[in-house]
């Protein structure tokens, strides 16, 4: 994908794992087109966003698990005002919260690809789509969402 066809333009901050490395497995998974989330090894609870401790049983024994990149729109927002100067000419754009029923109904936020003026259907099936930024230093990949139908 050329930089002119990226959904998110050049000039945005490069997403990297925190200094403590907590989300490193998530970002590494995206580079391999794998959507990864945490699951507690003790009580099997799914969770997102990344934490060092299980939200349910307080165990520190969390694994990163590759999940299917499919879900449904839980809620959404059409953004008209840029949250970063690089997005000044990119509005409006759609942000969705996607519920992942095969991963304990956890919810992830992301951009909804397609025409930002189209109606958004809560409950509609979506799938993850990966946007690779291989020329960036360091290289990274973003996860966006697109209607499945």
């Amino acid at each position: 994908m050329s930089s002119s066809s990226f959904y998110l333009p050049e000039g945005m901050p490069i997403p990297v794992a925190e200094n403590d490395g907590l989300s490193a497995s998530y970002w590494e998974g995206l580079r391999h087109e794998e959507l990864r989330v945490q699951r507690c090894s003790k009580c099997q609870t799914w969770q997102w966003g990344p934490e060092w401790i299980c939200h349910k049983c307080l165990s520190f024994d969390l694994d990163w698990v590759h999940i299917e990149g499919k879900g449904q729109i839980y809620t959404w927002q059409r953004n008209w005002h840029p949250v970063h100067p690089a997005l000044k000419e990119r509005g409006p754009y759609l942000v969705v919260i996607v519920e992942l029923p095969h991963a304990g109904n956890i919810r992830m936020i992301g951009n909804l690809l397609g025409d930002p003026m189209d109606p958004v259907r809560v409950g509609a099936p979506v799938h993850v789509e990966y946007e690779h930024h291989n020329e960036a230093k360091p290289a990274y990949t973003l996860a966006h969402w697109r209607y499945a139908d």
Side-chain angles (χ1 to χ4, degrees):
M1 183 180 286
S2 72
S3 62
S4 62
S5 62
F6 288 142
Y7 184 76
L8 290 181
E10 298 300 318
M12 295 289 293
I14 293 177
V16 295
E18 303 83 358
N19 290 337
D20 63 9
L22 177 61
S23 66
S25 186
Y26 170 75
W27 293 107
E28 179 186 328
L30 292 183
R31 295 290 299 150
H32 299 286
E33 296 196 0
E34 293 181 0
L35 192 59
R36 297 178 186 170
V37 298
Q38 289 180 310
R39 190 169 195 189
C40 179
S41 296
K42 185 175 178 183
C43 72
Q44 300 301 302
T45 297
W46 298 93
Q47 66 183 38
W48 181 259
E51 295 287 347
W52 290 111
I53 191 169
C54 175
H55 298 167
K56 184 175 181 183
C57 74
L58 306 181
S59 169
F60 287 94
D61 193 12
L62 295 165
D63 292 322
W64 283 93
V65 179
H66 173 207
I67 62 166
E68 188 177 13
K70 294 182 179 179
Q72 63 242 357
I73 296 174
Y74 178 78
T75 191
W76 63 279
Q77 178 175 333
R78 183 173 287 116
N79 292 294
W80 293 89
H81 302 287
V83 295
H84 188 276
L87 297 174
K88 184 177 179 184
E89 304 300 323
R90 292 294 183 115
Y93 58 94
L94 294 170
V95 176
V96 290
I97 294 179
V98 174
E99 190 169 66
L100 304 166
H102 55 281
N105 292 321
I106 60 173
R107 297 175 186 143
M108 298 183 106
I109 192 168
N111 297 301
L112 181 64
L113 301 178
D115 185 338
M117 297 310 295
D118 282 350
V120 178
R121 302 180 322 265
V122 170
V126 292
H127 64 87
V128 71
E129 200 161 296
Y130 300 95
E131 179 179 289
H132 297 283
H133 291 256
N134 296 322
E135 289 78 34
K137 301 293 184 231
Y140 65 96
T141 300
L142 299 172
H144 301 300
W145 298 95
R146 184 178 296 280
Y147 282 115
D149 46 59

